[in-house]
Amino acid sequence: MQVFGSSGTRGVANEELTPAFVLRVAKAAGTTWGDGHGGDRVAIARDTRHTGRMLADAAASGMASTGTDVDRLGIVPTPGAQAYAEREGVPVLVITASHNPPPYNGVKLVGDDGVELSTADLESIEETLLAESFTVAPWDETGCVREVDGVTQAYVDDLLAAADRDRIADADLTVALDPGHGAGSLTSPEFFRALGCRVVTVNAQPDGHFPGRDPEPVPDNLTDLGRLVRATDADIGIAHDGDADRAIFFDETGSYVEGDATLAALAAAELEAGDTTVSAVNVSQRLVDVVTEVGADLELTPIGSTNIITRIEELEENGERVPVAGEGNGGIFFPDYRLSRDGAFTAARFLELVAERPVSEIVAPYGGYVNVRHNVEYESTAERDAMLDAAANQAQAADADLNTRDGYRLDYGDAWVLARPSGTEPLVRIYAEARDGDRAEELAGDMYDALAAAKADI
């Protein structure tokens, strides 16, 4: 695909991702969903980004021009928009750039079953977009647009019905919450309070400029949350990204918990012998260790929610049980609940564990690994291709097992390093993991130096 990456299409708003472009995407989606005759009804949601309303307006116009009626949901977490899609049986177009920096925005497409569209479905819409073969409704058959209220409350109600409220409430937990000024600001404080938790917050005012921190829930952006945990003697810290489909945690001492350790702990609680879990090619050895100990199977995909969803669906069609899946970035699936990444639901499942013992004890068995990540920016496809060629040369020269499912992953037995182009930003990402921090830094540094040198030669 050229337009839709690993999780929709994204770019700097009003530069790469313009209203005109979003209008065309919406027209293509409306045409395809309507099978060439205009759709019946579609919903449009957005996160808190400053450019969200502008782009949602463009999307609504594009949809209506194909003869499609439009439900305007307003600001809703992406998993809340997916819940609406499933409940109402309508596709949803979500204006969000998830964890990307404030200047970015994007478009994510969700089917009428509440699941992100498959690669095949996205390719069909992309073909319509590139060919500009849009349905054009007569003036008196254009779609009607209506505002829909109560979507966030319905989402919170869904969450409460699925969580173990008694178990969490009985533990009398204090939750320090950082929704990062994103869409989760409208739902997660209420949700965790309704679970019986005392909730203290930081960066909990919806604000599309993200004044308190950038949307990505990584350690450098979450220092305020660590301080809040310590200042309030909280049992746990919880952070979301911009559209609240991720959850990242801090333990009771205010220390950051690696997302890979969280995924491993949740997998250990969910998996049984014979089950299958799905993760991406940058999977941590922590999850591999859990799968091996339990006697389950692990399936790897290219990075990105679309790829993981597609593989889960294939496995379930073949009778496999997939109780949990996801990536170490805080994006975790519980397919028995809904086939979507949901930061609030993930946090609730983790709180069920915290009700029994402290966070530090839950993740302690999954320590002992050090993760390093670097990004190398590029300004042209020539620079990107040169860096990927350099990664290929590193792989050829290395005494390591090579996996090229998504980029170049070099597995040395005691450690691994991966270089791959981002599906959402003009970056080549480098990941490394080892039990020894110096070893991880060395592997990531060597790859970074090789890519930077190749970029400089262009």
Side-chain angles (χ1 to χ4, degrees):
M1 293 183 295
Q2 298 175 349
V3 176
F4 298 102
S6 58
S7 188
T9 182
R10 297 180 193 167
V12 176
N14 228 24
E15 293 181 17
E16 301 155 324
L17 199 89
T18 63
F21 174 74
V22 172
L23 180 93
R24 291 172 58 235
V25 171
K27 289 168 70 174
T31 298
T32 305
W33 281 331
D35 194 27
H37 302 289
D40 292 325
R41 183 171 152 227
V42 167
I44 295 176
R46 60 187 175 94
D47 66 20
T48 58
R49 290 170 189 270
H50 176 68
T51 55
R53 183 183 295 275
M54 173 185 75
L55 297 175
D57 289 346
S61 295
M63 286 290 181
S65 76
T66 68
T68 305
D69 291 338
V70 178
D71 294 353
R72 294 291 297 266
L73 309 185
I75 297 173
V76 185
T78 293
Q82 292 177 271
Y84 183 86
E86 181 183 43
R87 184 169 59 253
E88 296 293 321
V90 298
V92 178
L93 184 152
V94 186
I95 301 294
T96 179
S98 189
H99 67 280
N100 288 125
Y104 280 73
N105 218 321
V107 178
K108 180 176 289 190
L109 300 174
V110 176
D112 60 11
D113 57 355
V115 179
E116 290 180 45
L117 293 190
S118 67
T119 300
D121 289 337
L122 289 173
E123 286 175 345
S124 178
I125 292 173
E126 185 170 300
E127 288 173 4
T128 302
L129 172 66
L130 297 176
E132 298 199 347
S133 54
F134 308 129
T135 296
V136 180
W139 71 270
D140 57 348
E141 295 180 15
T142 55
C144 297
V145 179
R146 68 176 186 131
E147 305 286 336
V148 179
D149 296 324
V151 178
T152 54
Q153 187 58 55
Y155 167 57
V156 171
D157 291 343
D158 278 354
L159 290 169
L160 290 170
D164 191 339
R165 298 174 68 174
D166 292 340
R167 182 177 180 183
I168 295 170
D170 288 348
D172 193 25
L173 301 173
T174 296
V175 170
L177 174 67
D178 181 356
H181 303 293
S185 302
L186 300 180
T187 52
S188 283
E190 176 186 353
F191 172 51
F192 294 127
R193 290 188 177 108
L195 287 176
C197 301
R198 171 177 175 253
V199 180
V200 293
T201 62
V202 64
N203 302 320
Q205 305 76 30
D207 189 328
H209 293 93
F210 302 98
R213 68 165 173 90
D214 271 7
E216 187 169 16
V218 294
D220 288 348
N221 293 337
L222 299 177
T223 54
D224 286 346
L225 180 57
R227 284 195 289 263
L228 182 63
V229 170
R230 292 187 289 272
T232 61
D233 196 27
D235 296 285
I236 186 172
I238 302 172
H240 294 316
D241 58 339
D243 66 338
D245 65 353
R246 298 188 191 183
I248 287 291
F249 303 105
F250 278 64
D251 71 13
E252 71 280 2
T253 71
S255 298
Y256 175 83
V257 176
E258 289 283 352
D260 289 307
T262 300
L263 176 57
L266 288 167
E270 298 287 338
L271 289 173
E272 298 176 358
D275 287 345
T276 302
T277 187
V278 181
S279 192
V281 71
N282 63 337
V283 63
S284 170
Q285 187 64 33
R286 298 171 177 88
L287 183 59
V288 176
D289 292 345
V290 169
V291 167
T292 301
E293 182 176 349
V294 170
D297 293 320
L298 173 62
E299 294 273 343
L300 297 185
T301 73
I303 290 173
S305 58
T306 301
N307 300 309
I308 292 176
I309 289 167
T310 298
R311 189 60 185 140
I312 292 172
E313 289 178 324
E314 291 170 348
L315 289 165
E316 290 186 336
E317 286 174 4
N318 289 328
E320 298 284 338
R321 180 174 180 267
V322 186
V324 64
E327 299 175 272
N329 59 10
I332 299 176
F333 297 88
F334 295 90
D336 290 342
Y337 167 63
R338 181 175 291 118
L339 192 49
S340 68
R341 300 186 302 185
D342 190 322
F345 185 73
T346 296
R349 295 302 289 264
F350 199 67
L351 286 174
E352 292 172 14
L353 303 182
V354 180
E356 304 297 330
R357 53 198 174 120
V359 175
S360 59
E361 290 185 18
I362 294 168
V363 299
Y366 315 109
Y369 291 99
V370 177
N371 294 85
V372 176
R373 190 173 86 171
H374 297 309
N375 294 325
V376 191
E377 296 181 356
Y378 61 81
E379 296 181 355
S380 67
T381 55
E383 288 183 348
R384 180 198 64 193
D385 292 345
M387 288 193 286
L388 294 179
D389 287 344
N393 291 336
Q394 285 281 102
Q396 187 173 17
D399 183 17
D401 293 333
L402 176 62
N403 184 319
T404 58
R405 194 172 187 85
D406 185 6
Y408 298 88
R409 174 172 167 141
L410 286 63
D411 207 321
Y412 292 86
D414 68 324
W416 58 265
V417 61
L418 167 69
R420 64 173 290 274
S422 168
T424 58
E425 297 177 80
L427 305 169
V428 175
R429 300 193 188 276
I430 299 169
Y431 310 79
E433 181 181 76
R435 287 194 176 275
D436 179 76
D438 290 340
R439 175 70 165 148
E441 290 283 1
E442 177 188 15
L443 289 174
D446 288 348
M447 184 66 78
Y448 181 92
D449 291 344
L451 270 58
K455 173 184 168 182
D457 286 342
I458 295 297

